[in-house]
Coordinates of all heavy atoms in Angstrom, one line a residue:
M26 N 0.8 -1.2 0.0 CA 0.0 0.0 0.0 C 0.9 1.2 0.0 O 0.7 2.1 0.8 CB -0.9 0.0 1.2 CG -2.0 1.0 1.2 SD -3.0 0.8 2.6 CE -2.5 2.2 3.5
K27 N 1.8 1.3 -0.9 CA 2.7 2.4 -0.9 C 2.1 3.6 -1.6 O 1.6 3.5 -2.7 CB 4.0 2.0 -1.7 CG 5.1 2.9 -1.5 CD 6.4 2.3 -1.9 CE 7.5 3.2 -1.5 NZ 8.8 2.5 -1.4
D28 N 2.1 4.7 -0.9 CA 1.6 6.0 -1.4 C 0.1 5.9 -1.8 O -0.2 6.5 -2.8 CB 2.4 6.5 -2.5 CG 3.8 6.9 -2.1 OD1 4.0 7.2 -0.9 OD2 4.7 6.9 -2.9
T29 N -0.7 5.1 -1.1 CA -2.1 5.1 -1.4 C -2.8 6.3 -0.8 O -2.6 6.6 0.4 CB -2.7 3.8 -0.9 OG1 -2.0 2.7 -1.4 CG2 -4.2 3.7 -1.3
K30 N -3.5 7.0 -1.6 CA -4.1 8.2 -1.1 C -5.4 7.9 -0.4 O -6.1 6.9 -0.7 CB -4.4 9.2 -2.3 CG -3.2 9.6 -3.0 CD -3.4 10.9 -3.7 CE -2.2 11.2 -4.6 NZ -1.4 12.2 -4.1
I31 N -5.8 8.7 0.6 CA -7.0 8.4 1.4 C -8.2 8.4 0.5 O -9.2 7.7 0.8 CB -7.0 9.4 2.6 CG1 -8.0 9.0 3.6 CG2 -7.4 10.8 2.1 CD1 -7.6 7.8 4.4
S32 N -8.2 9.2 -0.5 CA -9.4 9.3 -1.4 C -9.6 8.0 -2.1 O -10.7 7.6 -2.4 CB -9.3 10.5 -2.4 OG -8.2 10.3 -3.2
E33 N -8.5 7.3 -2.5 CA -8.6 6.0 -3.2 C -9.1 5.0 -2.2 O -9.9 4.1 -2.6 CB -7.2 5.6 -3.7 CG -6.7 6.5 -4.8 CD -5.3 6.2 -5.2 OE1 -4.8 5.2 -4.7 OE2 -4.7 6.9 -6.0
L34 N -8.7 5.1 -0.9 CA -9.2 4.1 0.1 C -10.6 4.3 0.4 O -11.3 3.3 0.6 CB -8.3 4.2 1.3 CG -6.9 3.8 1.3 CD1 -6.2 4.1 2.6 CD2 -6.8 2.3 1.0
R35 N -11.1 5.5 0.4 CA -12.5 5.8 0.7 C -13.5 5.2 -0.4 O -14.6 4.9 -0.1 CB -12.8 7.3 0.8 CG -12.2 7.9 2.0 CD -12.7 9.3 2.2 NE -12.0 10.0 3.3 CZ -12.3 9.9 4.6 NH1 -13.3 9.1 4.9 NH2 -11.6 10.5 5.5
D36 N -13.0 5.0 -1.6 CA -13.8 4.4 -2.7 C -13.9 2.9 -2.5 O -14.8 2.3 -3.2 CB -13.2 4.7 -4.0 CG -13.2 6.2 -4.3 OD1 -14.1 6.9 -3.7 OD2 -12.4 6.7 -5.1
K37 N -13.1 2.2 -1.7 CA -13.1 0.8 -1.6 C -14.2 0.4 -0.6 O -14.6 1.1 0.3 CB -11.8 0.3 -1.1 CG -10.7 0.6 -2.2 CD -9.4 -0.1 -1.8 CE -8.3 0.2 -2.7 NZ -8.4 -0.4 -4.0
S38 N -14.6 -0.9 -0.7 CA -15.6 -1.4 0.2 C -14.9 -2.0 1.5 O -13.7 -2.1 1.5 CB -16.4 -2.6 -0.5 OG -15.5 -3.7 -0.7
V39 N -15.7 -2.3 2.5 CA -15.2 -2.8 3.7 C -14.4 -4.1 3.6 O -13.3 -4.2 4.1 CB -16.3 -2.9 4.8 CG1 -15.8 -3.6 6.1 CG2 -16.9 -1.6 5.1
P40 N -14.9 -5.1 2.8 CA -14.1 -6.3 2.6 C -12.8 -6.0 1.9 O -11.8 -6.7 2.3 CB -15.0 -7.2 1.7 CG -16.4 -6.7 2.0 CD -16.3 -5.3 2.3
E41 N -12.8 -5.1 1.0 CA -11.5 -4.8 0.3 C -10.5 -4.1 1.3 O -9.3 -4.4 1.3 CB -11.8 -3.8 -0.9 CG -12.5 -4.4 -2.0 CD -12.8 -3.4 -3.1 OE1 -13.1 -2.2 -2.8 OE2 -12.8 -3.8 -4.3
L42 N -11.1 -3.3 2.2 CA -10.2 -2.6 3.2 C -9.7 -3.6 4.2 O -8.5 -3.5 4.6 CB -11.0 -1.5 3.9 CG -11.3 -0.3 3.0 CD1 -12.3 0.6 3.8 CD2 -10.1 0.5 2.6
E43 N -10.5 -4.6 4.5 CA -10.1 -5.6 5.5 C -9.0 -6.5 4.9 O -8.0 -6.9 5.5 CB -11.2 -6.5 5.9 CG -12.2 -5.7 6.9 CD -13.5 -6.5 7.2 OE1 -13.8 -7.4 6.4 OE2 -14.1 -6.1 8.1
A44 N -9.0 -6.7 3.5 CA -8.0 -7.5 2.9 C -6.7 -6.7 2.9 O -5.6 -7.2 3.0 CB -8.4 -7.8 1.4
I45 N -6.8 -5.3 2.7 CA -5.6 -4.5 2.7 C -5.0 -4.5 4.1 O -3.8 -4.6 4.2 CB -6.0 -3.0 2.3 CG1 -6.4 -3.0 0.9 CG2 -4.9 -2.1 2.6 CD1 -6.9 -1.6 0.4
V46 N -5.8 -4.5 5.2 CA -5.3 -4.6 6.5 C -4.5 -5.9 6.7 O -3.4 -5.9 7.3 CB -6.4 -4.4 7.6 CG1 -5.9 -4.8 9.0 CG2 -6.9 -3.0 7.5
L47 N -5.1 -7.0 6.3 CA -4.4 -8.3 6.4 C -3.1 -8.3 5.7 O -2.1 -8.8 6.2 CB -5.3 -9.4 5.9 CG -6.5 -9.8 6.7 CD1 -7.3 -10.9 6.0 CD2 -6.1 -10.3 8.1
A48 N -3.0 -7.8 4.5 CA -1.8 -7.7 3.7 C -0.8 -6.8 4.4 O 0.4 -7.2 4.5 CB -2.1 -7.2 2.3
E49 N -1.2 -5.7 5.0 CA -0.3 -4.8 5.6 C 0.3 -5.4 6.9 O 1.4 -5.2 7.2 CB -1.0 -3.4 6.0 CG -1.0 -2.5 4.8 CD 0.3 -1.9 4.4 OE1 1.1 -1.6 5.3 OE2 0.6 -1.9 3.2
R50 N -0.6 -6.1 7.6 CA -0.1 -6.8 8.9 C 0.9 -7.9 8.5 O 1.9 -8.1 9.3 CB -1.3 -7.4 9.6 CG -2.1 -6.3 10.4 CD -3.2 -6.9 11.2 NE -3.8 -5.8 12.0 CZ -5.0 -5.9 12.5 NH1 -5.7 -7.0 12.4 NH2 -5.5 -4.9 13.2
A51 N 0.7 -8.6 7.4 CA 1.6 -9.6 7.0 C 3.0 -9.0 6.7 O 4.0 -9.5 7.0 CB 1.1 -10.4 5.9
D52 N 2.9 -7.8 5.9 CA 4.1 -7.1 5.6 C 4.8 -6.6 6.8 O 6.1 -6.6 6.9 CB 3.8 -6.0 4.6 CG 3.4 -6.5 3.2 OD1 3.7 -7.6 2.9 OD2 2.8 -5.7 2.5
L53 N 4.1 -6.1 7.8 CA 4.7 -5.6 9.0 C 5.4 -6.7 9.8 O 6.5 -6.5 10.3 CB 3.6 -5.0 9.9 CG 4.1 -4.4 11.3 CD1 5.1 -3.3 11.1 CD2 2.9 -3.9 12.1
Y54 N 4.8 -7.9 9.8 CA 5.4 -9.0 10.5 C 6.7 -9.4 9.8 O 7.7 -9.6 10.4 CB 4.4 -10.2 10.4 CG 5.1 -11.5 10.9 CD1 5.3 -11.7 12.3 CD2 5.6 -12.5 10.0 CE1 5.9 -12.9 12.7 CE2 6.2 -13.6 10.5 CZ 6.4 -13.8 11.8 OH 7.0 -15.0 12.2
K55 N 6.7 -9.4 8.4 CA 7.9 -9.8 7.7 C 9.0 -8.7 7.9 O 10.2 -9.0 8.1 CB 7.6 -9.9 6.2 CG 6.8 -11.1 5.8 CD 6.4 -11.1 4.4 CE 5.4 -12.2 4.1 NZ 4.9 -12.1 2.7
A56 N 8.6 -7.4 8.0 CA 9.6 -6.4 8.2 C 10.2 -6.5 9.6 O 11.4 -6.3 9.8 CB 8.9 -5.0 8.0
R57 N 9.3 -6.8 10.6 CA 9.9 -7.0 11.9 C 10.8 -8.1 12.0 O 11.9 -8.1 12.7 CB 8.7 -7.2 12.9 CG 8.0 -5.9 13.3 CD 6.9 -6.2 14.3 NE 6.2 -5.0 14.7 CZ 5.0 -5.1 15.2 NH1 4.4 -6.2 15.4 NH2 4.4 -3.9 15.5
R58 N 10.5 -9.2 11.4 CA 11.3 -10.4 11.3 C 12.7 -10.1 10.7 O 13.7 -10.4 11.1 CB 10.6 -11.5 10.6 CG 11.4 -12.9 10.7 CD 10.8 -13.9 9.8 NE 10.9 -13.4 8.4 CZ 10.0 -13.7 7.4 NH1 9.0 -14.4 7.7 NH2 10.2 -13.2 6.2
D59 N 12.6 -9.4 9.5 CA 13.8 -9.0 8.8 C 14.7 -8.1 9.6 O 15.9 -8.1 9.6 CB 13.5 -8.3 7.5 CG 12.9 -9.3 6.5 OD1 13.0 -10.6 6.7 OD2 12.3 -8.9 5.5
L60 N 14.0 -7.2 10.4 CA 14.8 -6.3 11.3 C 15.6 -7.1 12.4 O 16.7 -6.8 12.6 CB 13.8 -5.3 12.0 CG 14.5 -4.2 12.8 CD1 15.3 -3.3 12.0 CD2 13.4 -3.5 13.6
V61 N 14.9 -8.1 12.9 CA 15.6 -8.9 13.9 C 16.8 -9.7 13.3 O 17.9 -9.7 14.0 CB 14.6 -9.9 14.6 CG1 15.3 -11.0 15.4 CG2 13.6 -9.2 15.4
F62 N 16.6 -10.1 12.1 CA 17.7 -10.9 11.5 C 18.7 -9.9 10.7 O 19.5 -10.4 10.0 CB 17.2 -11.9 10.5 CG 16.5 -13.1 11.3 CD1 15.2 -13.4 11.0 CD2 17.1 -13.8 12.3 CE1 14.5 -14.4 11.6 CE2 16.5 -14.8 12.9 CZ 15.2 -15.1 12.6
R63 N 18.5 -8.7 10.9 CA 19.3 -7.6 10.3 C 19.4 -7.7 8.8 O 20.4 -7.4 8.2 CB 20.7 -7.7 10.9 CG 20.7 -7.6 12.4 CD 22.1 -7.1 12.9 NE 22.1 -7.1 14.4 CZ 21.8 -6.1 15.1 NH1 21.4 -5.0 14.6 NH2 21.8 -6.2 16.4
R64 N 18.3 -8.0 8.2 CA 18.2 -7.9 6.7 C 17.8 -6.6 6.2 O 18.0 -6.2 5.1 CB 17.2 -9.0 6.2 CG 17.6 -10.4 6.4 CD 16.7 -11.3 5.8 NE 16.9 -12.7 6.3 CZ 15.9 -13.5 6.6 NH1 14.7 -13.2 6.4 NH2 16.2 -14.7 7.1
I65 N 17.1 -5.8 7.1 CA 16.8 -4.4 6.7 C 17.3 -3.5 7.8 O 17.5 -3.8 9.0 CB 15.2 -4.2 6.6 CG1 14.5 -4.5 7.9 CG2 14.7 -5.0 5.5 CD1 13.1 -4.0 7.9
T66 N 17.6 -2.3 7.4 CA 18.0 -1.2 8.3 C 17.1 -0.1 8.4 O 17.3 0.9 9.2 CB 19.4 -0.8 8.0 OG1 19.4 -0.3 6.6 CG2 20.5 -1.9 8.1
D67 N 16.1 -0.1 7.5 CA 15.1 1.0 7.4 C 14.0 0.8 8.5 O 13.0 0.2 8.2 CB 14.5 1.0 6.0 CG 13.5 2.2 5.9 OD1 13.6 3.2 6.6 OD2 12.6 2.1 5.0
T68 N 14.2 1.4 9.7 CA 13.3 1.2 10.7 C 12.1 2.2 10.5 O 11.0 1.9 11.1 CB 13.9 1.5 12.1 OG1 14.4 2.9 12.1 CG2 15.0 0.5 12.4
A69 N 12.2 3.2 9.7 CA 11.1 4.1 9.5 C 9.9 3.4 8.7 O 8.8 3.7 8.9 CB 11.5 5.3 8.7
S70 N 10.2 2.3 8.0 CA 9.2 1.6 7.2 C 8.2 0.9 8.2 O 7.1 0.8 7.9 CB 9.8 0.6 6.3 OG 10.4 -0.4 7.0
L71 N 8.7 0.5 9.4 CA 7.8 -0.1 10.3 C 6.8 0.9 10.8 O 5.6 0.6 10.9 CB 8.6 -0.6 11.5 CG 9.7 -1.7 11.3 CD1 10.5 -2.0 12.5 CD2 9.0 -2.9 10.7
R72 N 7.2 2.1 11.1 CA 6.3 3.1 11.5 C 5.2 3.5 10.4 O 4.0 3.6 10.7 CB 7.0 4.4 11.9 CG 6.2 5.5 12.5 CD 7.0 6.6 13.0 NE 6.1 7.6 13.6 CZ 6.5 8.8 14.0 NH1 7.7 9.1 13.8 NH2 5.6 9.6 14.5
V73 N 5.7 3.5 9.2 CA 4.8 3.8 8.1 C 3.8 2.7 7.9 O 2.6 3.0 7.7 CB 5.6 4.0 6.8 CG1 4.7 4.0 5.6 CG2 6.5 5.2 6.8
R74 N 4.2 1.5 8.1 CA 3.2 0.4 8.0 C 2.2 0.4 9.1 O 1.0 0.2 8.8 CB 4.0 -1.0 8.0 CG 4.8 -1.2 6.8 CD 5.5 -2.6 6.8 NE 6.5 -2.7 5.9 CZ 6.4 -2.9 4.6 NH1 5.2 -3.1 4.1 NH2 7.4 -3.0 3.8
R75 N 2.6 0.7 10.3 CA 1.7 0.8 11.4 C 0.7 2.0 11.2 O -0.5 1.8 11.5 CB 2.4 1.1 12.7 CG 3.1 -0.2 13.3 CD 3.5 0.0 14.7 NE 4.0 1.3 15.1 CZ 5.3 1.6 15.2 NH1 6.2 0.7 14.9 NH2 5.6 2.8 15.6
H76 N 1.2 3.1 10.6 CA 0.3 4.2 10.4 C -0.7 3.9 9.3 O -1.9 4.3 9.3 CB 1.1 5.4 10.0 CG 1.7 6.1 11.2 ND1 1.2 7.3 11.7 CD2 2.7 5.8 12.0 CE1 1.9 7.7 12.7 NE2 2.8 6.7 13.0
N77 N -0.3 3.1 8.2 CA -1.2 2.7 7.2 C -2.3 1.8 7.7 O -3.4 1.9 7.3 CB -0.4 2.0 6.1 CG 0.4 2.9 5.2 OD1 0.2 4.1 5.2 ND2 1.4 2.4 4.6
I78 N -1.9 0.9 8.6 CA -2.9 0.0 9.2 C -3.9 0.8 10.0 O -5.1 0.5 9.8 CB -2.2 -1.1 10.1 CG1 -1.4 -2.1 9.2 CG2 -3.2 -1.9 10.9 CD1 -0.4 -3.0 10.0
A79 N -3.4 1.7 10.8 CA -4.3 2.5 11.6 C -5.3 3.4 10.7 O -6.4 3.5 11.0 CB -3.5 3.5 12.5
R80 N -4.7 3.9 9.6 CA -5.5 4.7 8.7 C -6.7 3.8 8.1 O -7.8 4.3 8.0 CB -4.6 5.2 7.5 CG -5.3 6.1 6.6 CD -4.3 6.7 5.6 NE -3.3 7.5 6.2 CZ -2.0 7.3 6.2 NH1 -1.5 6.3 5.5 NH2 -1.1 8.1 6.8
V81 N -6.3 2.6 7.6 CA -7.4 1.8 7.0 C -8.4 1.3 8.1 O -9.6 1.3 7.8 CB -6.7 0.6 6.3 CG1 -7.7 -0.4 5.8 CG2 -5.8 1.0 5.2
L82 N -7.9 1.0 9.3 CA -8.8 0.6 10.3 C -9.8 1.7 10.7 O -11.0 1.5 11.0 CB -8.1 0.1 11.6 CG -7.4 -1.2 11.5 CD1 -6.5 -1.5 12.7 CD2 -8.4 -2.3 11.2
T83 N -9.3 2.9 10.7 CA -10.2 4.1 10.9 C -11.3 4.2 9.8 O -12.4 4.4 10.1 CB -9.4 5.4 11.0 OG1 -8.4 5.2 12.0 CG2 -10.2 6.6 11.2
L84 N -10.9 4.0 8.6 CA -11.9 4.0 7.5 C -12.9 2.9 7.6 O -14.1 3.2 7.4 CB -11.2 3.9 6.1 CG -10.5 5.2 5.7 CD1 -9.7 4.9 4.4 CD2 -11.5 6.3 5.4
I85 N -12.5 1.8 8.0 CA -13.4 0.6 8.2 C -14.4 1.0 9.3 O -15.6 0.8 9.1 CB -12.6 -0.7 8.6 CG1 -11.9 -1.2 7.3 CG2 -13.6 -1.7 9.0 CD1 -10.9 -2.3 7.6
A86 N -13.9 1.6 10.4 CA -14.8 1.9 11.5 C -15.8 3.0 11.1 O -17.0 2.9 11.4 CB -14.0 2.4 12.7
E87 N -15.3 4.0 10.3 CA -16.2 5.0 9.8 C -17.3 4.4 8.9 O -18.5 4.8 9.0 CB -15.4 6.1 9.0 CG -14.6 7.0 9.9 CD -13.8 8.0 9.0 OE1 -13.9 8.0 7.8 OE2 -13.1 8.8 9.7
K88 N -16.9 3.5 8.0 CA -17.9 2.9 7.1 C -18.9 2.1 7.8 O -20.1 2.1 7.5 CB -17.2 2.1 6.0 CG -16.5 3.0 5.0 CD -15.9 2.1 3.9 CE -15.2 3.0 2.9 NZ -16.2 3.4 1.8
K89 N -18.5 1.4 8.8 CA -19.4 0.5 9.6 C -20.4 1.4 10.4 O -21.5 1.0 10.6 CB -18.6 -0.4 10.5 CG -18.0 -1.6 9.7 CD -17.3 -2.6 10.6 CE -16.8 -3.7 9.8 NZ -16.1 -4.7 10.7
R90 N -19.9 2.5 10.9 CA -20.8 3.5 11.6 C -21.8 4.2 10.6 O -22.8 4.7 11.0 CB -20.0 4.5 12.3 CG -19.5 4.1 13.6 CD -19.0 5.2 14.4 NE -18.2 6.1 13.6 CZ -16.9 6.3 13.8 NH1 -16.2 5.6 14.8 NH2 -16.2 7.1 13.1
G91 N -21.4 4.2 9.4 CA -22.2 4.9 8.4 C -21.9 6.3 8.2 O -22.7 7.1 7.6
N92 N -20.8 6.8 8.6 CA -20.3 8.2 8.4 C -19.8 8.5 7.0 O -19.6 9.6 6.7 CB -19.3 8.6 9.5 CG -19.9 8.6 10.9 OD1 -21.1 8.5 11.0 ND2 -19.1 8.6 11.9
A93 N -19.4 7.4 6.3 CA -18.8 7.7 5.0 C -19.6 7.3 3.9 O -20.6 6.6 3.9 CB -17.4 6.9 5.0

């Protein structure tokens, strides 16, 4: 989900957003594992992934409440 704009995410349905969250969480797990084994040195990518997950979860909550 690199450089995905919030307007593009708002156009997606809840199941599509949930699939994005699953993929982001899997990528976050892999990045954390790679960090432990010193395969990556870019620690900022972990923060970006966490923020992306939070952004998508917020949109899911908004859609389920009916605000979007």
Side-chain angles (χ1 to χ4, degrees):
M26 191 176 106
K27 194 163 190 161
D28 294 337
T29 304
K30 300 203 185 254
I31 195 74
S32 59
E33 294 172 8
L34 290 175
R35 287 191 190 277
D36 294 336
K37 296 187 183 288
S38 66
V39 173
E41 290 173 327
L42 292 173
E43 289 171 345
I45 290 172
V46 169
L47 287 176
E49 279 291 316
R50 284 184 174 161
D52 290 342
L53 178 61
Y54 172 77
K55 289 175 188 172
R57 283 183 179 157
R58 187 190 62 211
D59 290 346
L60 183 65
V61 168
F62 293 125
R63 303 203 186 267
R64 291 186 197 141
I65 63 169
T66 57
D67 181 24
T68 57
S70 68
L71 299 175
R72 184 176 183 187
V73 169
R74 290 182 197 281
R75 285 197 321 264
H76 281 253
N77 287 340
I78 291 169
R80 185 177 296 123
V81 175
L82 288 174
T83 301
L84 282 173
I85 290 171
E87 285 179 0
K88 285 183 179 275
K89 285 185 177 178
R90 277 194 314 248
N92 294 344

